PDB file of all heavy atoms in Angstrom:
ATOM      1  N   GLY A 390      -2.699  -0.675   9.180  1.00 97.00           N
ATOM      2  CA  GLY A 390      -3.096  -1.587   8.056  1.00 97.00           C
ATOM      3  C   GLY A 390      -3.314  -3.024   8.524  1.00 97.00           C
ATOM      4  O   GLY A 390      -4.310  -3.617   8.108  1.00 97.00           O
ATOM      5  N   SER A 391      -2.437  -3.472   9.305  1.00 97.00           N
ATOM      6  CA  SER A 391      -2.491  -4.870   9.781  1.00 97.00           C
ATOM      7  C   SER A 391      -3.857  -5.125  10.532  1.00 97.00           C
ATOM      8  O   SER A 391      -4.487  -6.152  10.292  1.00 97.00           O
ATOM      9  CB  SER A 391      -1.362  -5.259  10.726  1.00 97.00           C
ATOM     10  OG  SER A 391      -0.154  -5.035  10.070  1.00 97.00           O
ATOM     11  N   PHE A 417       1.685  -8.724   0.611  1.00 98.00           N
ATOM     12  CA  PHE A 417       2.028  -8.210   1.920  1.00 98.00           C
ATOM     13  C   PHE A 417       0.773  -7.704   2.529  1.00 98.00           C
ATOM     14  O   PHE A 417       0.162  -6.746   1.963  1.00 98.00           O
ATOM     15  CB  PHE A 417       3.089  -7.165   1.907  1.00 98.00           C
ATOM     16  CG  PHE A 417       3.484  -6.750   3.320  1.00 98.00           C
ATOM     17  CD1 PHE A 417       4.540  -7.361   3.957  1.00 98.00           C
ATOM     18  CD2 PHE A 417       2.839  -5.807   3.993  1.00 98.00           C
ATOM     19  CE1 PHE A 417       4.955  -7.056   5.321  1.00 98.00           C
ATOM     20  CE2 PHE A 417       3.163  -5.454   5.305  1.00 98.00           C
ATOM     21  CZ  PHE A 417       4.214  -6.119   5.919  1.00 98.00           C
ATOM     22  N   HIS A 418       0.393  -8.208   3.691  1.00 98.00           N
ATOM     23  CA  HIS A 418      -0.865  -7.608   4.359  1.00 98.00           C
ATOM     24  C   HIS A 418      -0.651  -7.283   5.755  1.00 98.00           C
ATOM     25  O   HIS A 418      -1.571  -6.841   6.442  1.00 98.00           O
ATOM     26  CB  HIS A 418      -1.990  -8.724   4.232  1.00 98.00           C
ATOM     27  CG  HIS A 418      -2.353  -8.987   2.770  1.00 98.00           C
ATOM     28  ND1 HIS A 418      -2.924  -8.024   1.969  1.00 98.00           N
ATOM     29  CD2 HIS A 418      -2.209 -10.097   2.039  1.00 98.00           C
ATOM     30  CE1 HIS A 418      -3.058  -8.553   0.732  1.00 98.00           C
ATOM     31  NE2 HIS A 418      -2.684  -9.859   0.787  1.00 98.00           N
ATOM     32  N   ASP A 523      -6.809  -4.950  -0.769  1.00 98.00           N
ATOM     33  CA  ASP A 523      -5.963  -4.257   0.213  1.00 98.00           C
ATOM     34  C   ASP A 523      -5.401  -3.063  -0.470  1.00 98.00           C
ATOM     35  O   ASP A 523      -4.433  -3.126  -1.234  1.00 98.00           O
ATOM     36  CB  ASP A 523      -4.846  -5.286   0.708  1.00 98.00           C
ATOM     37  CG  ASP A 523      -3.979  -4.638   1.725  1.00 98.00           C
ATOM     38  OD1 ASP A 523      -3.924  -3.355   1.833  1.00 98.00           O
ATOM     39  OD2 ASP A 523      -3.304  -5.312   2.470  1.00 98.00           O
ATOM     40  N   GLN A 526      -1.444   0.488   0.491  1.00 97.00           N
ATOM     41  CA  GLN A 526      -0.497   1.329  -0.167  1.00 97.00           C
ATOM     42  C   GLN A 526      -1.049   2.069  -1.338  1.00 97.00           C
ATOM     43  O   GLN A 526      -0.603   3.096  -1.702  1.00 97.00           O
ATOM     44  CB  GLN A 526       0.726   0.416  -0.709  1.00 97.00           C
ATOM     45  CG  GLN A 526       1.680   0.060   0.398  1.00 97.00           C
ATOM     46  CD  GLN A 526       3.070  -0.206  -0.091  1.00 97.00           C
ATOM     47  OE1 GLN A 526       3.650   0.473  -0.971  1.00 97.00           O
ATOM     48  NE2 GLN A 526       3.701  -1.193   0.540  1.00 97.00           N
ATOM     49  N   LYS A 552      -2.452   3.979   5.872  1.00 95.00           N
ATOM     50  CA  LYS A 552      -1.345   4.845   5.328  1.00 95.00           C
ATOM     51  C   LYS A 552      -1.818   6.293   4.926  1.00 95.00           C
ATOM     52  O   LYS A 552      -1.898   7.065   5.817  1.00 95.00           O
ATOM     53  CB  LYS A 552      -0.632   4.158   4.211  1.00 95.00           C
ATOM     54  CG  LYS A 552       0.241   2.963   4.649  1.00 95.00           C
ATOM     55  CD  LYS A 552       1.290   2.585   3.626  1.00 95.00           C
ATOM     56  CE  LYS A 552       1.892   1.209   3.885  1.00 95.00           C
ATOM     57  NZ  LYS A 552       2.964   1.292   4.951  1.00 95.00           N
TER      58      LYS A 552
HETATM   59  N1  PMP B1011      -1.184  -4.049   3.580  1.00 84.26           N
HETATM   60  C1  PMP B1011      -0.304  -3.511   2.699  1.00 84.26           C
HETATM   61  C2  PMP B1011      -0.577  -3.585   1.278  1.00 84.26           C
HETATM   62  C3  PMP B1011       0.773  -2.820   3.143  1.00 84.26           C
HETATM   63  O1  PMP B1011       1.705  -2.364   2.295  1.00 84.26           O
HETATM   64  C4  PMP B1011       1.027  -2.766   4.571  1.00 84.26           C
HETATM   65  C5  PMP B1011       2.234  -2.027   5.156  1.00 84.26           C
HETATM   66  N2  PMP B1011       3.371  -1.889   4.358  1.00 84.26           N
HETATM   67  C6  PMP B1011       0.076  -3.290   5.445  1.00 84.26           C
HETATM   68  C7  PMP B1011      -1.021  -3.967   4.880  1.00 84.26           C
HETATM   69  C8  PMP B1011       0.208  -3.267   6.920  1.00 84.26           C
HETATM   70  O2  PMP B1011       0.074  -1.901   7.385  1.00 84.26           O
HETATM   71  P1  PMP B1011       0.594  -1.497   8.815  1.00 84.26           P
HETATM   72  O3  PMP B1011       2.105  -1.445   8.726  1.00 84.26           O
HETATM   73  O4  PMP B1011      -0.015  -0.167   9.068  1.00 84.26           O
HETATM   74  O5  PMP B1011       0.194  -2.534   9.834  1.00 84.26           O
END
Side-chain angles (χ1 to χ4, degrees):
S391 300
F417 184 92
H418 298 295
D523 181 340
Q526 282 207 39
K552 289 199 192 282

